[in-house]
Amino acid sequence: MIRCQLLMHSHGGGAEQLALLLARELDRRRFAPTVACLRHLPGLAAEVPPDVPLLMPKDATAWAALRNLARIRRDCARSDVVVGTLELQSLLAAAVLAPRGRAVGWLHKDVPGYLAQRGKGYGRLYATLLGAAAARCRRLVCVSEGVRASTAALLPGCDAALRVLWNPVDIDRIRRGSEEPLPESLAPYFRDPVVLGVGRLVPQKAFHVLIRAHALLRQRGGRQALCIVGEGPERPFLEAEARRLGVADSTLLPGFRNPWPLMRHARALGVSSAFEGFSLVIVEALALGLPVVATDCPSGPSEVLQGGEFGTLVPVGDAAALADALQPLLGDAPCVDVVRAAAGHARAGDFSLSRTVGAWEALLEECAAVARG
């Protein structure tokens, strides 16, 4: 039996949900997973699979965090593999707390793209800490070839440790979840065509570009609404941008909610990101037959869409190009490519649990075999 600790420091994002999904799906005949969290996050406890032990501070005090850290370290010593599930805190903690060679880092984002939006001092410190953590990891799992390439360029000494494992996606759960009814507060807006955006309201997602594309389409006589599902620090800026462009009445920011029923009723998914790692939301859209228009940013959209075979790619930051690509999907007789939609369904299957969890299990077995000598 392989003891595997999944180390976390946050909750609610896509990467965190993937860690919990992996904990749920690992074959219990071969793996004994534990979820460990550095912080007191009550919402996390409700989502950890019931047969998986959870190590988490009992409250938000520093003393509770220190006591829990000691528990995590003891569990790391007993574990064959310790996975730092998200850069940077979880990965760094796994590298420091696990016996040397037992840590595995899980890289979800294009780190150079992320650092480009930060100050130089922050970037140097981040790269230094990431490099130190990487040097102690047996493997660094990258969610896409693009993340692998950018990480290799940033940390040239870690090439041998890099592995690409696509994110596991529960396709059946997505399709079941999409059958839930639309929220009553949003249903009236879906009487007209809706462009959907999904993600945290942060600079990386560049939702202001999607709002500008929406405004251009309205200026051309379109009657569509824009719904951006998510929450984050850029909400005031995005609301102000919608007011400035005169589209506040047709731009919805409903916060966090299940996006799958909205995908079922929307006309298109708009992805305006400046950079990505994998872009899970694109796979979700393909699984539901929703047309995708995405920026050709580093590094996820083009890889998931295979260079535009399963969706449309436009230049980063180009609101006019985004509007041009969305427009044919929004008319009274939308230009929907049935063949492409069917191909998108099949492409989503490439990321299904049956195809991705097995790759994770093989990597964990490989690392455990080395750790045991």
Side-chain angles (χ1 to χ4, degrees):
M1 185 70 71
I2 295 172
R3 291 179 54 87
C4 175
Q5 184 190 111
L6 301 171
L7 183 55
M8 306 173 65
H9 69 271
S10 56
H11 171 247
E16 295 88 341
Q17 292 301 312
L18 287 167
L20 295 173
L21 178 60
L22 183 61
R24 187 191 83 195
E25 293 296 324
L26 287 174
D27 185 347
R28 296 298 191 268
R29 294 168 297 180
R30 294 181 289 145
F31 296 91
T34 297
V35 171
C37 187
L38 300 171
R39 298 165 55 206
H40 176 66
L41 300 172
L44 174 63
E47 297 192 32
V48 175
D51 65 336
V52 176
L54 171 63
L55 305 178
M56 188 172 70
K58 66 178 183 179
D59 55 45
T61 64
W63 175 242
L66 287 172
R67 291 189 65 181
N68 186 65
L69 191 62
R71 293 171 64 206
I72 291 174
R73 185 169 186 175
R74 288 194 296 270
D75 190 75
C76 285
R78 296 191 295 264
S79 297
D80 299 295
V81 187
V82 179
V83 181
T85 59
L86 183 62
E87 62 272 47
L88 178 64
Q89 294 97 311
S90 296
L91 196 160
L92 183 60
V96 170
L97 296 175
R100 190 171 186 90
R102 296 191 193 180
V104 170
W106 198 347
L107 299 172
H108 294 268
K109 61 175 171 264
D110 179 79
V111 174
Y114 169 71
L115 296 182
Q117 296 187 335
R118 303 284 179 150
K120 290 184 178 179
Y122 178 92
R124 284 193 294 268
L125 177 61
Y126 191 105
T128 298
L129 292 173
L130 181 61
R136 291 184 57 88
C137 288
R138 173 69 57 187
R139 291 286 180 263
L140 292 170
V141 174
C142 303
V143 299
S144 65
E145 287 290 348
V147 169
R148 186 206 62 77
S150 64
T151 302
L154 182 69
L155 306 174
C158 72
D159 295 48
L162 299 175
R163 294 289 185 277
V164 176
L165 297 182
W166 283 337
N167 283 335
V169 182
D170 192 339
I171 302 296
D172 291 338
R173 180 169 175 257
I174 290 167
R175 289 175 178 159
R176 288 194 306 270
S178 72
E179 295 171 0
E180 296 177 7
L182 283 171
E184 290 185 9
S185 60
L186 299 182
Y189 294 94
F190 280 78
R191 293 170 187 155
D192 290 327
V194 170
V195 175
L196 187 66
V198 180
R200 291 193 66 226
L201 309 184
V202 293
Q204 172 198 348
K205 302 299 183 181
F207 283 127
H208 64 284
V209 177
L210 189 55
I211 292 173
R212 291 170 188 171
H214 169 54
L216 286 172
L217 289 168
R218 297 285 290 196
Q219 290 170 13
R220 298 173 186 175
R223 54 182 179 81
Q224 83 288 337
L226 171 63
C227 180
I228 301 175
V229 176
E231 195 53 84
E234 286 228 312
R235 172 180 284 274
F237 165 65
L238 297 175
E239 290 174 337
E241 188 72 354
R243 289 193 298 270
R244 184 182 72 82
L245 295 170
V247 291
D249 291 343
S250 58
T251 301
L252 314 177
L253 297 169
F256 285 121
R257 59 182 63 241
N258 178 5
W260 303 328
L262 280 62
M263 287 184 176
R264 179 70 74 182
H265 294 274
R267 286 286 189 87
L269 176 74
V271 178
S272 51
S273 301
F275 65 94
E276 285 286 352
F278 176 77
S279 197
L280 180 63
V281 68
I282 292 180
V283 179
E284 294 171 343
L286 294 178
L288 297 175
L290 180 64
V292 177
V293 177
T295 51
D296 191 9
C297 66
S299 56
S302 180
E303 189 166 334
V304 174
L305 296 174
Q306 287 197 338
E309 181 177 350
F310 302 108
T312 302
L313 295 166
V314 299
V316 175
D318 192 334
L322 193 56
D324 290 344
L326 288 168
Q327 190 164 358
L329 304 170
L330 301 173
D332 293 332
C335 180
V336 177
D337 189 332
V338 177
V339 174
R340 178 182 267 194
H345 275 275
R347 175 58 172 166
D350 291 338
F351 309 98
S352 65
L353 298 179
S354 61
R355 298 194 182 187
T356 52
V357 173
W360 259 104
E361 290 176 338
L363 180 134
L364 294 174
E365 287 177 327
E366 171 197 323
C367 293
V370 174
R372 292 173 175 180

